[in-house]
Structure formats: structure tokens, C-alpha cells
Amino acid sequence: MGTDLHELLRSLRVWDVELPSFDPASAPAEPLPLFVEWFAKAVAAGQTEPHTMTLATSDEDGLPDVRIVMLHGADADGWAFATHATSRKGRQLAARPYAALSFYWPTQGRQIRLRGPVEVAPAREGQADLHARSTGALAAALVGRQSEVLGSMEELGRASDGAWDRARSDPDAPAPTWTLYRLRPEEVEFFQGDARRRHVRLVYRRAEEGWLKELLWP
């Protein structure tokens, strides 16, 4: 017999750990310091791949798309990620330069959601970011053709082998379409789960000067 999905779903539990407390009254005036604090605590708690995040974009017709990408940094200029400008998400961001990000760290019962306009970083910054990463990351970028139709796994194997050879022999090899993007949030929400379902939701909204903070009903 096959798996009963509904029975399986009902058997699962979330946050089967001791959750941290969060007093929104003590939150800083801006979201970035709180993000860094929560990120560091997720790492300390042993959260698997805390630097992965969901990126949501939309195409020219306004149809949504979503995938997991890696955080490359966060500072006053925004939250950074990278991809090929010719990929599906790169084309979508060119057509509609606005996106949303979300982080989920179940070891802490925490989520962080951001949305805002996306800007392309200067090409030299994108290449510097790429060359500061691993040989495998460079090899993957050199393969390119992300989101194009693939004829066979053998074709991918040949292209990948060639890219690995070049990445090893020339660690500064350029990947022209590789692009660094920055999302400058207009809104950032911090969600702290609570065992009694009294979840804390604190949202920052960018104002003309600084940020406004509000609590939301869970």
C-alpha cells in the first residue's frame, strides 16, 4: 500500500524544542542588527544551512516564482544574493526588479521575511564575490546556461568537467553573466514562535527617516 499522506502529515510536530523568548520592546531601531543577532543564534543552535533563504520573484505577467538561494551578505545596502542574469530569476528581476526573501530556522522557531526593490551590484563586485567563494562555486558559474533546456546528463557532465578544469587552472576566470543582486527591504518581519501559539510578530517598515516598528497579530 502507498503512503497515506494525510496520516503522515497529522503525525508530524513542529518546534519540538525549547523555544527562545523574544521581547519586541527590546528590539533595536533598525532591522539589520536584529537579523545579525538572530542569524548568529541560529548558527549557535546548530541550524542546518541557516544562510539559505527563499527568494520569490514574478515574471512579466505577474506570475509568482520561488526557489532557495544562498545569502551572500547583509549590510546597509541590502541583503545580497547572486545568480546568472540570464537565468529565469535573473530575467524576472530584469522585468520586475522587486522581490521577497524569507528565512526559516526551526531550531529556534523563527522566521524572517523581507520584501523590497532589487538592484544589480557593479559587475566588479559580483566577480569579486564569486572569486571569493569555492572552486566548485566558480565551476558551476562557468558552466552557465542556467534555466536553459538540457539535452542530456552526459552533456552536463562534459560541460561541468571542462568548467572544473578551468576553475582549477584559472581561479580568477570571469563568468560574465554571474551577477550580484541586493534587495533593499522596505519591510522586514521577525516571527518568534511560541509553544502556546502566542507568536510574536514584529514588523519594521521603512519611513522617510529611519524605520517604524509595529506588532502584528499572529
Side-chain angles (χ1 to χ4, degrees), residues 75-109:
D75 54 29
D77 293 325
W79 273 247
F81 59 93
T83 188
H84 289 281
T86 52
S87 68
R88 177 181 293 180
K89 50 188 173 295
R91 297 194 305 271
Q92 291 173 349
L93 287 169
R96 290 174 175 261
Y98 199 93
L101 300 172
S102 71
F103 296 83
Y104 177 49
W105 300 321
T107 57
Q108 303 273 282

Side-chain angles (χ1 to χ4, degrees), residues 6-98:
H6 294 92
E7 286 295 332
L8 184 58
L9 288 170
R10 284 192 288 270
S11 72
L12 299 176
R13 297 292 178 268
V14 296
W15 305 331
D16 193 17
V17 294
E18 184 176 349
L19 299 176
S21 60
F22 173 49
D23 178 8
S26 66
E30 298 184 354
L32 181 59
L34 185 56
F35 174 84
V36 173
E37 177 187 340
W38 278 26
F39 184 86
K41 288 183 177 178
V43 173
Q47 175 63 56
T48 302
E49 298 184 354
H51 54 322
T52 56
M53 57 188 183
T54 303
L55 166 66
T57 56
S58 57
D59 63 18
E60 293 180 352
D61 298 321
L63 298 176
D65 215 339
V66 66
R67 76 288 288 165
I68 303 297
V69 298
M70 184 178 294
L71 177 69
H72 285 224
D75 54 29
D77 293 325
W79 273 247
F81 59 93
T83 188
H84 289 281
T86 52
S87 68
R88 177 181 293 180
K89 50 188 173 295
R91 297 194 305 271
Q92 291 173 349
L93 287 169
R96 290 174 175 261
Y98 199 93

Side-chain angles (χ1 to χ4, degrees), residues 72-73 79-85 118-130 177-182:
H72 285 224
W79 273 247
F81 59 93
T83 188
H84 289 281
V118 176
E119 298 179 351
V120 175
R124 65 180 182 280
E125 292 186 27
Q127 295 300 301
D129 176 78
L130 174 61
T177 61
W178 188 254
T179 304
L180 185 69
Y181 296 87
R182 290 192 178 94

Side-chain angles (χ1 to χ4, degrees), residues 125-147:
E125 292 186 27
Q127 295 300 301
D129 176 78
L130 174 61
H131 294 135
R133 301 178 68 203
S134 67
T135 301
L138 176 58
L142 291 173
V143 170
R145 302 186 65 177
Q146 191 176 58
S147 302

